[in-house]
Amino acid sequence: MGKDTGITEYFQDNERFADFFNGYVFQGKPVIFPEHLESQEIRGILKGNTDRYMYRDILKKRYQGTELMLLGIENQTAVHYAMPVRSFVYDGISYQEQLDRIRKSHQKRRDLTGEEYLSGFGRKDKLIPVITAVIYFGKKPWDGAKDLFDMFQMDSIPKEMLPYLNNYQINLFRARQDKADCFRTDIRQCFQFLQKDGDRKALKSLLEQDESYRFLSEETFKMISCLSGQSSLLLEKKKYETKEGGYDMCKAFADMKLEGKMEGMKAFAKRMLLSGVSMEIIIQAIMEENQLTRQEAEKYIQ
């Protein structure tokens, strides 16, 4: 599973998509429901001398009665230093496409006159609001721009002009840093695991406290394995499948620790050998340090 493709597929699920926006925007309050979401065309046209297609990661229409809204998610595994412009363009294309549809509808009905005809948009016409959220999964802290002003040389702009300069802010969620306990689906386990990734003691405590890590969905097991740099777990994922049908990340973590320990001991043995220490002394050191039998210790220097 490629990271970017896998993340997009993961959040295409309506339950996860709704849960993300409920947690991010409404602090966990169930306002957006999966059954009220409908996937939209992710390809938009940026018009110019040469029309150019731009592809969103995910775009869904939220409808509830007469209430409509477009919600988008952009997934980033690396910092995008032009993200404010990119998000601005995505949202702008969505509004332009709405205008085009409205204008075509009026042209077909021939129901506009005067200024409305010139605009192609009637006084009572309304656009559907668009919200785009950026989910950042990278380990490196986000040091890119968070709004359009961050991309300007602000000290070169006369202060009198600032009130007339429109800003555009991105809606950034940092998966490895921002609060995750307001989510209700398995995206919470995914985010919280990533936030402890790199701290084995904290990760062990998290897995012990949250029983749900013993019964993860296959999609979440894949996400955690790939984003934490443990893609090798997927080669033996059957090993971690439970009788109930989920996947046991606690068991996988134990194997991750063992693998890390073995790599550390192998590196230690190699350094000692290069330093002229005899094989027998190295084996005895590994046995005493880790309370291993001779046969077990010898595995670290093979």
Side-chain angles (χ1 to χ4, degrees), residues 41-176:
E41 173 65 59
I42 61 171
R43 184 180 70 169
I45 301 177
L46 182 62
K47 295 185 177 180
N49 294 332
T50 303
D51 288 351
R52 178 176 154 213
Y53 288 113
M54 296 192 70
Y55 293 84
R56 281 180 172 269
D57 286 343
I58 308 171
L59 183 66
K60 292 181 184 285
K61 181 189 286 184
R62 184 244 181 171
Y63 60 92
Q64 191 167 354
T66 58
E67 183 183 334
L68 296 173
M69 180 172 287
L70 288 173
L71 302 172
I73 289 179
E74 294 301 314
N75 298 303
Q76 289 295 132
T77 54
V79 177
H80 194 301
Y81 290 102
M83 201 70 215
V85 171
R86 183 177 168 188
S87 293
F88 179 72
V89 171
Y90 282 147
D91 291 353
I93 289 175
S94 293
Y95 288 125
Q96 183 62 56
E97 289 177 340
Q98 291 182 56
L99 278 175
D100 290 343
R101 285 193 293 270
I102 291 171
R103 283 169 178 159
K104 287 179 181 178
S105 178
H106 284 305
Q107 288 171 0
K108 187 175 181 180
R109 296 197 304 266
R110 298 183 179 180
D111 58 353
L112 295 182
T113 59
E115 292 91 344
E116 289 183 316
Y117 175 79
L118 292 174
S119 304
F121 192 81
R123 292 181 185 88
K124 295 184 179 179
D125 288 330
K126 301 296 179 184
L127 295 175
I128 301 172
V130 183
I131 296 176
T132 298
V134 178
I135 307 179
Y136 174 58
F137 292 90
K139 291 184 178 180
K140 173 186 175 181
W142 182 278
D143 59 353
K146 294 181 182 178
D147 60 35
L148 205 54
F149 279 15
D150 283 347
M151 299 180 70
F152 296 157
Q153 189 68 42
M154 294 299 292
D155 56 8
S156 68
I157 302 172
K159 63 180 181 180
E160 293 83 1
M161 296 184 70
L162 294 179
Y164 302 93
L165 193 60
N166 291 323
N167 200 359
Y168 181 86
Q169 177 179 305
I170 62 172
N171 301 304
L172 178 67
F173 179 81
R174 298 162 298 179
R176 296 177 184 268

Side-chain angles (χ1 to χ4, degrees), residues 186-199:
D186 48 7
I187 67 174
R188 176 171 64 83
Q189 280 77 34
C190 181
F191 291 149
Q192 289 182 336
F193 189 100
L194 294 177
Q195 290 173 8
K196 306 296 184 183
D197 189 24
D199 185 338

Side-chain angles (χ1 to χ4, degrees), residues 204-256:
K204 181 175 182 291
S205 177
L206 173 68
L207 296 178
E208 289 174 347
Q209 292 173 16
D210 191 342
E211 188 69 15
S212 59
Y213 281 103
R214 296 186 180 277
F215 309 98
L216 291 179
S217 66
E218 182 177 4
E219 296 83 4
T220 301
F221 184 83
K222 286 181 178 179
M223 277 282 288
I224 290 176
S225 299
C226 287
L227 290 171
S228 63
Q230 301 292 334
S231 300
S232 59
L233 294 176
L234 302 179
L235 299 176
E236 297 183 283
K237 67 176 184 176
K238 281 283 185 184
K239 177 180 177 182
Y240 307 112
E241 192 171 358
T242 65
K243 294 180 180 179
E244 294 79 8
Y247 287 80
D248 190 343
M249 184 51 73
C250 300
K251 185 177 180 181
F253 175 70
D255 285 355
M256 287 160 55

